[in-house]
Amino acid sequence: MSPWLTNYITVLESLSSADLPRLRACISEDIKFKDPFNDTSTQDEFIAIMDDMYSRLDNVHFKVHSSAEYEREAFIEWTFYGESKLTGTFSFVGTSKLISDQRGKVTHHFDYWDGSALMEKIPLIGFFIRQLRGRFSHKN
């Protein structure tokens, strides 16, 4: 595994709101970040998204299970863990595509995960999502 990827995974797995400067040091000024709820292209906006996540959730952490890379491009598979008074404890699995520049700074971080898995944990919204899942999962 290349040093940039090893470092990024280490930072993600040990990340906390107090450690956001460590994340900032790993990413490009013009990082492109996208997940089911966000789409941004600056370092400040990406850090703000992460900071907001830590302000809304407790016991947040990532566990990276596997990675694959080719030159400056990598995919990582991870589990996200968190909790809040509204949702209780929850987790979900996702994958990220990462691209680094020649300096080893991450320039692209695209997360792929099922946003409804998180929304399902919200009491009222979750009821409707579970109902929809049930309707679409039945075979005629």
Side-chain angles (χ1 to χ4, degrees), residues 7-63:
N7 185 48
Y8 199 66
I9 289 172
T10 299
V11 168
L12 284 179
E13 288 188 320
S14 63
L15 196 59
S16 70
S17 62
D19 288 333
L20 290 177
R22 285 182 52 218
L23 178 61
R24 185 181 291 275
C26 298
I27 60 177
S28 168
E29 289 285 330
D30 59 349
I31 185 171
K32 294 180 182 21
F33 172 75
K34 188 172 186 175
D35 72 5
F37 300 110
N38 301 286
D39 188 354
T40 187
S41 58
T42 71
Q43 186 185 74
D44 287 341
E45 290 171 345
F46 178 57
I47 296 298
I49 289 166
M50 299 299 280
D51 191 41
D52 182 61
M53 173 186 68
Y54 283 105
S55 72
R56 294 175 185 266
L57 300 174
D58 297 315
N59 299 318
V60 171
H61 63 280
F62 295 88
K63 174 64 180 158

Side-chain angles (χ1 to χ4, degrees), residues 9-128:
I9 289 172
T10 299
V11 168
L12 284 179
E13 288 188 320
S14 63
L15 196 59
S16 70
S17 62
D19 288 333
L20 290 177
R22 285 182 52 218
L23 178 61
R24 185 181 291 275
C26 298
I27 60 177
S28 168
E29 289 285 330
D30 59 349
I31 185 171
K32 294 180 182 21
F33 172 75
K34 188 172 186 175
D35 72 5
F37 300 110
N38 301 286
D39 188 354
T40 187
S41 58
T42 71
Q43 186 185 74
D44 287 341
E45 290 171 345
F46 178 57
I47 296 298
I49 289 166
M50 299 299 280
D51 191 41
D52 182 61
M53 173 186 68
Y54 283 105
S55 72
R56 294 175 185 266
L57 300 174
D58 297 315
N59 299 318
V60 171
H61 63 280
F62 295 88
K63 174 64 180 158
V64 175
H65 305 290
S66 63
S67 65
E69 71 178 297
Y70 179 73
E71 296 179 357
R72 293 191 313 257
E73 192 169 317
F75 286 90
I76 57 174
E77 180 188 21
W78 44 263
T79 301
F80 174 89
Y81 300 90
E83 67 180 76
S84 75
K85 292 177 183 166
L86 183 63
T87 62
T89 302
F90 65 92
S91 66
F92 55 86
V93 175
T95 301
S96 298
K97 178 180 181 180
L98 308 170
I99 300 174
S100 77
D101 61 18
Q102 298 88 342
R103 301 172 300 147
K105 301 276 187 174
V106 175
T107 60
H108 294 75
H109 181 144
F110 299 143
D111 282 348
Y112 303 97
W113 51 277
D114 181 1
S116 69
L118 177 58
M119 293 173 56
E120 192 174 87
K121 302 295 184 186
I122 300 171
L124 186 57
I125 294 170
F127 171 78
F128 291 110

